[in-house]
Amino acid sequence: GQQLNQSPQSMFIQEGEDVSMNCTSSSIFNTWLWYKQDPGEGPVLLIALYKAGELTSNGRLTAQFGITRKDSFLNISASIPSDVGIYFCAGSFGNEKLTFGTGTRLTIIP
Amino acid sequence: NAGVMQNPRHLVRRRGQEARLRCSPMKGHSHVYWYRQLPEEGLKFMVYLQKENIIDESGMPKERFSAEFPKEGPSILRIQQVVRGDSAAYFCASSPSDREAFFGQGTRLTVV
């Protein structure tokens, strides 16, 4: 089955720094999604990507759908305390199930 | 347009009892996914359903677990004869098609 490798597993940064994380797949996708999960809550959709090469922003967040259709990255600029949480990538192809990455835990050091 | 509604939010069951988890998708959404999450871990796919059909149940244990998404009413994830290892957060997500999926708040199942 499809496998998604998400990196890094965790990040410790200072407030104001930029953040970058990525996902790679063993097979091609035609949809990439990025989610954020806070403790005790369900994942919240941040950005959806549907075309190879697509670059989409949502405020300070920017995500790109890789040209090979096997990868995607998420950037967060000028991090703030409420960015703390776990970020998940997810991908699918056609009518197949949505597969999730293992998550990147973001911590902001005071 | 209300979001994905899951209930109950918390469920406690004794070993051997049945757990029924409900998921009402967003209006107009015909696709439902169920995922399981252990503390400090990622989301593990269980089952993918479209109205009245199971599309992919490759992540669901063969025994004791079942899921349905009837023509009318919520999707139900049913766990029979629960064991301590079933304790986890169970999340449902709905989608209008094979595009973006929106999650509910989850049901936290504790088996005592």
Side-chain angles (χ1 to χ4, degrees):
Chain A
Q2 292 165 337
Q3 293 183 9
L4 276 188
N5 293 313
Q6 186 171 348
S7 65
Q9 280 191 319
S10 58
M11 302 185 74
F12 296 84
I13 62 166
Q14 292 190 319
E15 186 177 346
E17 286 187 34
D18 296 344
V19 170
S20 184
M21 60 191 79
N22 68 81
C23 275
T24 56
S25 169
S26 58
S27 55
I28 62 171
F29 287 146
N30 59 9
T31 298
W32 278 100
L33 307 173
W34 284 92
Y35 291 86
K36 177 177 184 269
Q37 187 177 27
D38 292 327
E41 302 292 329
V44 173
L45 182 64
L46 299 173
I47 292 180
L49 301 158
Y50 302 113
K51 286 184 191 176
E54 181 180 357
L55 186 72
T56 297
S57 293
N58 178 6
R60 294 177 296 104
L61 277 61
T62 302
Q64 184 159 28
F65 193 138
I67 291 290
T68 65
R69 298 172 69 187
K70 289 186 177 182
D71 61 347
S72 177
F73 72 76
L74 175 71
N75 284 344
I76 305 172
S77 62
S79 57
I80 60 177
S82 62
D83 291 334
V84 166
I86 303 177
Y87 292 80
F88 291 100
C89 64
S92 68
F93 183 83
N95 202 31
E96 294 175 357
K97 65 177 184 279
L98 198 57
T99 300
F100 276 79
T102 49
T104 296
R105 181 182 294 275
L106 180 63
T107 303
I108 294 186
I109 306 167
Chain B
N1 189 10
V4 178
M5 304 299 292
Q6 286 188 251
N7 67 81
R9 287 292 305 271
H10 300 274
L11 182 62
V12 179
R13 284 287 178 265
R14 296 187 185 279
R15 280 178 294 170
Q17 290 185 319
E18 178 180 287
R20 290 172 70 89
L21 287 61
R22 292 175 192 78
C23 170
S24 296
M26 290 176 70
K27 189 176 179 181
H29 286 194
S30 59
H31 298 227
V32 164
Y33 301 85
W34 284 94
Y35 291 84
R36 172 188 156 108
Q37 187 177 40
L38 293 171
E40 307 299 313
E41 293 192 8
L43 293 147
K44 184 168 182 281
F45 169 79
M46 296 184 74
V47 63
Y48 171 29
L49 309 102
Q50 293 179 24
K51 278 288 185 183
E52 300 184 273
N53 293 310
I54 295 176
I55 304 302
D56 185 338
E57 56 181 349
S58 59
M60 201 128 85
K62 294 280 186 284
E63 297 180 354
R64 301 189 299 110
F65 286 72
S66 62
E68 62 176 12
F69 187 18
K71 188 177 179 182
E72 302 291 338
S75 175
I76 305 286
L77 178 68
R78 185 178 173 211
I79 311 173
Q80 295 178 290
Q81 299 174 327
V82 295
V83 301
R84 288 234 171 95
D86 296 333
S87 296
Y90 292 85
F91 289 98
C92 160
S94 76
S95 172
S97 63
D98 56 345
R99 308 291 262 187
E100 65 269 16
F102 298 90
F103 279 82
Q105 296 278 54
T107 293
R108 275 136 193 93
L109 172 66
T110 303
V111 179
V112 297

